[in-house]
Amino acid sequence: MLKTQLDEARMIGIRRWVVPGTSSERWAGLMTMAERHAGVYAAPGIHPQDSDRCRKTDFVELRRLMQHPKAIAVGEVGLDRQVESPWQVQEDVFIQMLRLARDMDKPLIIHARRSTERILELMRQEKAERVGGIFHAFSGSLETARKVIDMNFALGVGGVVTFSTARRLPEVVRSVPEHALVLETDAPDLAPEPYRGQPNRPAYLALVAERVADLRGWSMQQTAQITTANACRVLKLPSLAV
């Protein structure tokens, strides 16, 4: 299934993928996948929904994994007011993730749900701007977007931007500097229109790109070039010709 989806995406010009590993139980499989497939990179971390199962040994193992050449970011990490993990535990784990990323000089992939202001506060406290990264599945206001960008983070734009019900995100995409935009799928979640509610696939990124191109007045070629260059810069990957 994975190879089929990667081949399908390659057919439309997608050649790199960053896959988060959101709990320690997923890290081994994630690293195996990254090793086996060209263009697949890993972002191991501890998602807020798994923070209450985190052990001290997980931080040791994560530091070891981050030395692997295919482990390019720490993610997804952050805070989420809609999961069951106790809030203080989420904060404690998130702070450890911020410190680890800074110590290892790795960018972060941030998960934020109803918690952005507190996340930004902790990021300032831990000097996360030194490593930067991506605010995953961004859907906040333009004011919030500017705060995120000022912290040296890009905005991850996914399927939500294609939804007819989306209000704030199209305005954000139109208004922020072009260097702040990267594309993402969040597969298998948040499939774009017309596949909303169905399992997402990497190839559907083209639909996100089409909507961003329309909002910015760019061609698809420009959209691919700009967002690819942004992703390579933020994730510290070699530039990829588009």
Side-chain angles (χ1 to χ4, degrees):
M1 176 65 78
L2 174 64
K3 186 177 186 303
T4 299
Q5 292 197 16
L6 294 179
D7 288 344
E8 178 185 63
R10 286 189 181 101
M11 290 286 290
I12 62 168
I14 300 170
R15 287 178 280 165
R16 285 182 180 166
W17 301 262
V18 179
V19 184
T22 55
S23 65
S24 58
E25 292 86 354
R26 297 171 181 260
W27 294 343
L30 171 68
M31 299 311 300
T32 298
M33 175 177 31
E35 289 172 347
R36 288 180 178 173
H37 296 281
V40 175
Y41 294 90
I46 298 172
H47 192 284
Q49 71 185 5
D50 295 301
S51 57
D52 58 345
R53 297 188 290 112
C54 182
R55 302 159 298 181
K56 289 183 179 180
T57 53
D58 291 341
F59 298 116
V60 176
E61 174 63 8
L62 189 54
R63 284 181 180 272
R64 186 188 70 82
L65 288 179
M66 295 312 299
Q67 298 177 51
H68 192 289
K70 282 260 184 140
I72 63 166
V74 178
E76 306 170 27
V77 299
L79 301 174
D80 190 326
R81 293 193 183 275
Q82 292 185 263
V83 299
E84 294 182 0
S85 297
W87 185 255
Q88 189 57 55
V89 173
Q90 289 191 44
E91 286 204 1
D92 291 345
V93 170
F94 182 45
I95 289 169
Q96 291 300 313
M97 295 293 100
L98 292 171
R99 291 175 179 174
L100 185 147
R102 192 186 62 210
D103 291 348
M104 304 295 292
D105 193 29
K106 299 286 185 177
L108 290 142
I109 298 177
I110 300 292
H111 173 97
R113 188 155 56 172
R114 298 187 178 179
S115 55
T116 302
E117 286 302 322
R118 181 56 176 158
I119 282 177
L120 289 172
E121 184 180 356
L122 292 174
M123 287 169 57
R124 292 186 195 100
Q125 172 186 304
E126 299 299 329
K127 299 179 173 56
E129 71 278 1
R130 293 182 180 178
V131 294
I134 297 169
F135 252 66
H136 156 66
F138 186 84
S139 60
S141 67
L142 181 56
E143 179 185 6
T144 299
R146 287 170 174 154
K147 292 178 181 178
V148 169
I149 295 165
D150 286 345
M151 286 288 296
N152 195 30
F153 279 72
L155 309 176
V157 181
V160 172
V161 77
T162 71
F163 296 174
S164 60
T165 52
R167 294 292 179 265
R168 296 189 299 183
L169 187 54
E171 178 193 5
V172 168
V173 170
R174 287 190 196 99
S175 304
V176 298
E178 67 179 46
H179 75 261
L181 297 172
V182 298
L183 306 183
E184 62 176 30
T185 62
D186 198 29
D189 300 320
L190 294 179
E193 299 286 4
Y195 302 103
R196 187 175 180 180
Q198 301 177 33
N200 204 351
R201 302 172 72 88
Y204 294 168
L205 190 68
L207 297 169
V208 177
E210 287 175 3
R211 180 60 174 146
V212 170
D214 179 61
L215 289 167
R216 296 292 304 211
W218 295 338
S219 68
M220 281 290 283
Q221 181 73 8
Q222 285 176 298
T223 303
Q225 289 174 336
I226 291 167
T227 58
T228 296
N230 291 344
C232 290
R233 183 191 74 251
V234 170
L235 297 171
K236 303 174 183 177
L237 290 171
S239 297
L240 189 64
V242 176

